[in-house]
Amino acid sequence: MRGLVLALSLLVSACATTPAAPINAPLGGLGADVEGRAPVGDDLIVLALSGGGARAASFHLGVLQALRDTPGRDGRPLSEHIALITSVSGGSVLAAYYGLHGDAGLDTFDAAYLGREWRVRGPSSPFGIAGALRGGMNGPQQLRAWLAENIYGGATMGDMRAGPRVILNATDLYNSTPFAFTQFFFDGLCSDVRQVRVADAVAASMAVPVAFRPVVMESYGGRCAGPPAWTMRVLADRGAGENVHQTAHAFQNYRGDTPAAQRFVHLVDGGVADNLGMLSLQVLRAGAGLPSPLTVREALQARRVLFLVVNAEYIRPRTFQQNGADAIGAYEMMYSPVDVATDVAKRASVDVWRAQLPEYQRALREWRCGLPQDVLRANWRCDDVTLSMDVITFRDMTPGEYETLFDTPTDVSLPRETVDALTRAGRGVVARNAALAAFREN
């Protein structure tokens, strides 16, 4: 009886919980983006690191370690050629740490995150059930506090200068759109991305619905005049993608230029919209204009740009495929459609970017060739820039590794031996990747 009374009191108290404070502040002056360190050479890499909890973070760690240990055609480590990382959820945990610490962080990330046991509330906990009634079994403060205490300290997005540029991706629940932690997106809120704590941004990127409450941001749109100019241009373009159109509408909501007059933005795991972080690149290309998502500096120095998507996809066992035509159970009926929707969405985002790459390459060449002569370097061909793309997945592991690791759960913590096996597999797929081998050739 006491247990029942305790559970009921928790449920009631959950309904009276103080709302979470927004993680962002108003824009105090001219907005500036998170820059990161400059990539070297004229061979540039853009990485997309998928979500997937510690499973993804372990695999991605192996990929980045292999890039650090592999020389490019100029003899410098391939990791120094990384211009940009776009990431989601578990990929964001590593990407943000790499942005703060650079290549040295690839040797300390394991101890900072993967080697720690991180317990979160589940449905078996009365506190978890109480929290679920408030939008998540684990509150945003719990998630953000753990990340700050164990991984990022009080570092802000503006402190991420040791590694490449990083775009952390979340999902705007109200607008069903991606939300990226870049100044371009923060301009919609009249806010400053550099002041946001890294722990808060990563928490937004990995706030799995139901498991974690959404992370809240506030729009200060009343402090800025009218909607961002790009939204009107994009909405007038019937050829622009539907995700880009919807994001333009979201920006107008943030600015209070629609009946929605959206004051608060509730962010959850970026994988809800796109588990590979590619949608934000499409929005940046359409909204920010050329040469985005590359910066001017990157677009001018590049001769070859490789977009490399690293997908640590999770394949949930589906026993109904083996147990008979009518053997599907309630558990599988609940999760399988969600898995299908997520898988199809992330494949679609990759396919859209791949399909747009030739046009982006043509437009980039045209943009470079239209620059004033005093901007151009001597002996530099403005049309000499080539874009390519490849996707790395668990299926690129050896058959033995894949059989052992393909159904590793996407938990926030994993056993030591599993972390080590995933990291080794990540290093191995880089060593065998044909696109990277070609990229290292003259």
Side-chain angles (χ1 to χ4, degrees):
M1 184 65 181
R2 288 181 178 179
L4 177 60
V5 171
L6 174 61
L8 289 173
S9 66
L10 288 170
L11 296 180
V12 172
S13 64
C15 297
T17 302
T18 302
I23 65 172
N24 63 316
L27 185 63
L30 293 177
D33 218 333
V34 179
E35 294 185 353
R37 55 111 176 100
V40 302
D42 52 14
D43 287 341
L44 303 185
I45 298 173
V46 176
L47 279 181
L49 302 183
S50 77
R55 163 196 171 105
S58 302
F59 185 63
H60 298 331
L61 177 62
V63 168
L64 282 172
Q65 287 177 341
L67 292 176
R68 178 196 60 188
D69 298 338
T70 303
R73 60 176 177 164
D74 60 356
R76 303 288 292 272
L78 285 178
S79 60
E80 294 185 15
H81 293 268
I82 300 173
L84 170 66
I85 299 178
T86 180
S87 62
V88 177
S89 196
S92 290
V93 182
L94 172 60
Y97 191 85
Y98 187 43
L100 283 171
H101 301 285
D103 281 2
L106 300 179
D107 294 322
T108 58
F109 178 72
D110 190 311
Y113 171 51
L114 297 173
R116 297 181 186 272
E117 173 126 13
W118 182 10
R119 296 187 180 277
V120 297
R121 295 172 183 167
S124 61
S125 164
F127 289 96
I129 297 172
L133 295 180
R134 288 285 302 162
M137 288 182 283
N138 298 271
Q141 283 292 357
Q142 294 166 288
L143 177 57
R144 290 152 53 188
W146 193 94
L147 292 170
E149 180 180 348
N150 294 283
I151 306 179
Y152 307 112
T156 66
M157 295 291 291
D159 295 327
M160 295 203 304
R161 295 185 293 268
R165 278 195 304 134
V166 173
I167 297 177
L168 306 176
N169 293 274
T171 299
D172 176 348
L173 268 182
Y174 177 84
N175 293 291
S176 305
T177 52
F179 190 96
F181 281 77
T182 70
Q183 190 55 45
F184 175 84
F185 277 78
F186 271 65
D187 280 343
L189 305 176
C190 293
S191 185
D192 188 349
V193 67
R194 295 169 301 173
Q195 296 185 42
V196 175
R197 290 195 317 167
V198 174
D200 294 341
V202 173
S205 184
M206 66 182 300
V208 177
V210 182
F212 299 102
R213 282 183 63 193
V215 173
V216 179
M217 294 205 302
E218 184 170 356
S219 173
Y220 305 98
R223 300 180 180 220
C224 296
W230 72 269
T231 62
M232 304 301 293
R233 170 175 54 80
V234 164
L235 290 173
D237 180 4
R238 305 293 292 182
E242 290 306 304
N243 278 308
V244 175
H245 274 159
Q246 185 60 28
T247 305
H249 282 299
F251 272 57
Q252 293 185 337
N253 289 343
Y254 302 154
R255 287 290 185 89
D257 297 308
T258 66
Q262 187 173 354
R263 181 183 173 190
F264 295 106
V265 181
H266 294 80
L267 299 178
V268 296
D269 193 311
V272 173
D274 167 27
N275 202 42
L276 298 175
M278 302 300 290
L279 281 180
S280 61
L281 299 190
Q282 296 169 30
V283 173
L284 286 168
R285 183 176 168 234
L290 289 168
S292 190
L294 296 177
T295 65
V296 170
R297 179 184 65 193
E298 294 159 359
L300 288 176
Q301 77 182 71
R303 287 188 61 232
R304 299 190 300 178
V305 182
L306 173 63
F307 290 85
L308 186 63
V309 179
V310 187
N311 182 8
E313 78 276 11
Y314 174 56
I315 301 176
R316 195 188 309 275
R318 297 185 174 99
T319 56
F320 66 86
Q321 297 179 106
Q322 302 166 342
N323 295 343
D326 61 348
I328 188 167
Y331 177 85
E332 290 167 327
M333 193 62 247
M334 180 171 59
Y335 281 104
S336 293
V338 176
D339 290 342
V340 170
T342 301
D343 291 343
V344 171
K346 68 186 179 187
R347 289 197 299 265
S349 70
V350 170
D351 289 344
V352 167
W353 187 258
R354 194 193 302 273
Q356 291 181 352
L357 213 55
E359 171 57 23
Y360 182 31
Q361 176 179 284
R362 183 204 63 77
L364 201 56
R365 289 175 176 175
E366 186 176 285
W367 174 82
R368 292 184 3 152
C369 291
L371 293 172
Q373 287 299 311
D374 59 352
V375 176
L376 309 180
R377 304 192 306 270
N379 303 317
W380 179 78
R381 283 181 46 200
C382 60
D383 63 345
D384 185 17
V385 58
T386 303
L387 310 183
S388 60
M389 180 174 175
D390 196 31
V391 179
I392 287 176
T393 76
F394 268 37
R395 291 183 175 85
D396 295 312
M397 296 177 178
T398 65
E401 289 172 333
Y402 182 78
E403 183 63 28
T404 302
L405 299 171
F406 81 96
D407 61 348
T408 301
T410 57
D411 292 340
V412 292
S413 299
L414 290 172
R416 176 76 264 166
E417 61 273 15
T418 305
V419 168
D420 291 341
L422 286 165
T423 305
R424 282 195 303 272
R427 288 195 290 264
V429 297
V430 168
R432 295 187 297 273
N433 184 262
L436 284 168
F439 198 66
R440 297 195 300 270
E441 296 174 357
N442 290 317

